[in-house]
């Protein structure tokens, strides 16, 4: 939208339907201006706004290769080849999955990867958080604002989270830790009802009743097509400056794919605005240099 308003030719290339991760959210309650809105509906409103500015859209394009080093940049898909002076990478990130039976079937029906997004739906209910790092323990603490009981299941006998984060959890009487254990299966009829837990030391299994499962065993960026072309951190997230500029001139990154302290729809949108304005300035500078040459 910002690029279109800046009067430069722009297009969106997406490997799936437009809208990204929010299309999978049952309900969003923390996007400003919408006290409650379904993910697909918010994504639809985004698209309607783009249409007002006649932004070209190419959904469901399978990307074969991306060359960010060349000028212009080249993106090849199964259908076509796109060239641009500037590229904004907004491919998002994916939660590391548990990889257990029932996880995929109950995603959105009790399995969630965002406590901030879905925590309010578990008021006075029992939830399970899987993990032992800062994200797992912090989100476990957050969920106690709503849930009557939070189990944190960790495969080891000690946490990886910062000591201050651990202390908050240990001092919270709503939290109970289940050590040396992993989730083997998620069960239920139409929604999550229980998990099967295996003790990693004794190999014994048992079932635990729960209304929700929140895996927090890590995130990974969707940037396989760009790996090795620009600077990334040790987990693969793209490094940017405050203008969303990456290590390659003319290439910007926005949202969950970049190194950021918060991964939310609203922060991704803000990143996009900054990246859009930065891309406009870059393209204008390139055009100016061509005229002077």
């Amino acid at each position: 939208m910002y690029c279109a308003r800046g009067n430069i030719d722009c297009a969106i290339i997406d490997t799936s339907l437009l809208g990204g991760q929010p299309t999978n959210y049952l309900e969003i309650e923390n996007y400003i201006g919408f006290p409650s809105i379904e993910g697909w509906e918010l994504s639809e409103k985004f698209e309607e706004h783009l249409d007002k500015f006649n932004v070209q859209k190419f959904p469901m394009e399978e990307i074969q290769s991306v060359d960010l080093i060349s000028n212009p940049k080249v993106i090849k898909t199964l259908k076509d080849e796109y060239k641009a002076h500037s590229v904004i990478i907004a491919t998002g990130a994916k939660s590391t999955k548990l990889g257990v039976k029932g996880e995929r079937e109950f995603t959105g029906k009790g399995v969630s990867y965002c406590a901030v997004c879905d925590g309010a739906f578990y008021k006075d209910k029992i939830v399970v958080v899987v993990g032992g790092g800062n994200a797992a323990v912090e989100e476990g603490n957050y969920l106690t604002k709503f849930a009557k009981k939070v189990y944190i299941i960790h495969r080891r006998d000690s946490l990886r989270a910062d000591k201050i984060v651990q202390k908050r959890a240990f001092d919270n009487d709503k939290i109970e830790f289940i050590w040396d254990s992993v989730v083997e299966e998620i069960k239920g009829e139409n929604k999550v009802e229980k998990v099967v837990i295996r003790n990693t030391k004794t190999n014994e299994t048992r079932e635990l009743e729960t209304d929700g499962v929140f895996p927090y065993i890590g995130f990974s960026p969707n940037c396989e097509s760009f790996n090795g072309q620009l600077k990334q951190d040790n987990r693969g997230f793209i490094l940017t400056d405050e203008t969303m500029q990456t290590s390659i001139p003319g290439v910007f990154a926005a949202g969950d794919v970049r190194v950021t302290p918060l991964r939310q729809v609203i922060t991704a949108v803000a990143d996009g605005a900054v990246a859009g304005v930065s891309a406009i300035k870059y393209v204008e500078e390139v055009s100016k240099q061509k005229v002077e040459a």
Side-chain angles (χ1 to χ4, degrees), residues 5-26:
R5 282 169 57 88
N7 200 31
I8 62 173
D9 291 332
C10 58
I12 297 174
I13 303 170
D14 203 326
T15 57
S16 60
L17 295 174
L18 296 179
Q21 293 177 30
T23 58
N24 297 319
Y25 300 158
L26 290 177

Side-chain angles (χ1 to χ4, degrees), residues 195-212:
V195 292
V196 177
I197 303 170
R198 178 176 61 84
N199 185 289
T200 56
K201 290 184 176 179
T202 66
N203 242 10
E204 293 179 354
T205 62
R206 66 185 177 97
E207 292 187 346
L208 177 69
E209 291 187 359
T210 183
D211 299 293

Side-chain angles (χ1 to χ4, degrees), residues 139-203:
E139 299 306 283
N141 265 313
Y142 176 81
L143 285 166
T144 61
K145 292 182 178 182
F146 312 101
K148 64 181 180 181
K149 183 75 174 182
V150 175
Y151 291 100
I152 297 181
I153 300 174
H154 187 40
R155 64 169 54 246
R156 299 181 180 85
D157 59 5
S158 61
L159 300 171
R160 291 178 287 108
D162 296 339
K163 295 299 181 182
I164 190 169
V165 176
Q166 294 187 37
K167 186 177 186 306
R168 293 191 192 117
F170 292 142
D171 291 343
N172 193 323
D173 58 10
K174 283 189 175 183
I175 293 178
E176 180 178 333
F177 287 90
I178 300 177
W179 305 106
D180 301 311
S181 299
V182 294
V183 172
E184 293 275 278
E185 185 179 352
I186 301 170
K187 291 183 172 183
E189 290 295 328
N190 298 316
K191 60 183 181 63
V192 170
E193 296 175 358
K194 61 185 69 174
V195 292
V196 177
I197 303 170
R198 178 176 61 84
N199 185 289
T200 56
K201 290 184 176 179
T202 66
N203 242 10

Side-chain angles (χ1 to χ4, degrees), residues 41-287:
E41 187 180 1
L42 184 60
S43 297
E44 197 172 71
K45 289 183 179 296
F46 288 166
E47 190 170 353
E48 288 172 0
H49 203 159
L50 291 176
D51 289 342
K52 177 182 177 181
F53 296 100
N54 299 313
V55 174
Q56 296 184 76
K57 298 170 295 184
F58 299 95
M60 305 301 289
E61 288 267 10
E62 185 175 338
I63 294 175
Q64 297 296 293
S65 65
V66 178
D67 181 358
L68 300 174
I69 308 299
S70 300
N71 284 305
K73 324 298 181 189
V74 181
I75 300 172
K76 292 182 179 179
T77 71
L78 279 178
K79 298 179 181 178
D80 215 331
E81 179 177 285
Y82 302 88
K83 295 182 179 180
H85 291 302
S86 180
V87 172
I88 298 174
I89 300 171
T91 48
K94 52 184 175 290
S95 297
T96 302
K97 303 296 190 294
L98 295 173
V100 301
K101 184 178 179 181
E103 181 178 18
R104 181 178 60 82
E105 292 86 344
F106 291 112
T107 297
K109 300 176 182 177
V111 174
S112 172
Y113 302 92
C114 180
V116 175
C117 307
D118 298 330
F121 298 118
Y122 294 89
K123 186 174 177 60
D124 298 325
K125 295 185 177 181
I126 300 171
V127 298
V128 161
V129 173
V130 185
N134 280 336
V137 181
E138 286 175 344
E139 299 306 283
N141 265 313
Y142 176 81
L143 285 166
T144 61
K145 292 182 178 182
F146 312 101
K148 64 181 180 181
K149 183 75 174 182
V150 175
Y151 291 100
I152 297 181
I153 300 174
H154 187 40
R155 64 169 54 246
R156 299 181 180 85
D157 59 5
S158 61
L159 300 171
R160 291 178 287 108
D162 296 339
K163 295 299 181 182
I164 190 169
V165 176
Q166 294 187 37
K167 186 177 186 306
R168 293 191 192 117
F170 292 142
D171 291 343
N172 193 323
D173 58 10
K174 283 189 175 183
I175 293 178
E176 180 178 333
F177 287 90
I178 300 177
W179 305 106
D180 301 311
S181 299
V182 294
V183 172
E184 293 275 278
E185 185 179 352
I186 301 170
K187 291 183 172 183
E189 290 295 328
N190 298 316
K191 60 183 181 63
V192 170
E193 296 175 358
K194 61 185 69 174
V195 292
V196 177
I197 303 170
R198 178 176 61 84
N199 185 289
T200 56
K201 290 184 176 179
T202 66
N203 242 10
E204 293 179 354
T205 62
R206 66 185 177 97
E207 292 187 346
L208 177 69
E209 291 187 359
T210 183
D211 299 293
V213 180
F214 289 80
Y216 278 99
I217 56 175
F219 291 90
S220 56
N222 295 315
C223 56
E224 290 80 7
S225 300
F226 321 114
N227 286 338
Q229 297 187 60
L230 35 66
K231 289 185 179 179
Q232 297 162 268
D233 70 2
N234 58 6
R235 295 186 297 163
F237 289 97
I238 298 172
L239 295 166
T240 68
D241 63 15
E242 62 183 7
T243 69
M244 304 301 144
Q245 170 76 58
T246 70
S247 58
I248 302 175
V251 179
F252 304 88
D256 291 5
V257 74
R258 79 180 191 94
V259 175
T260 176
L262 183 62
R263 292 186 166 85
Q264 292 282 288
V265 178
I266 198 165
T267 54
V269 168
D271 283 358
V274 175
V277 172
S278 299
I280 291 170
K281 292 179 180 178
Y282 179 83
V283 171
E284 288 176 344
E285 185 61 32
V286 169
S287 299

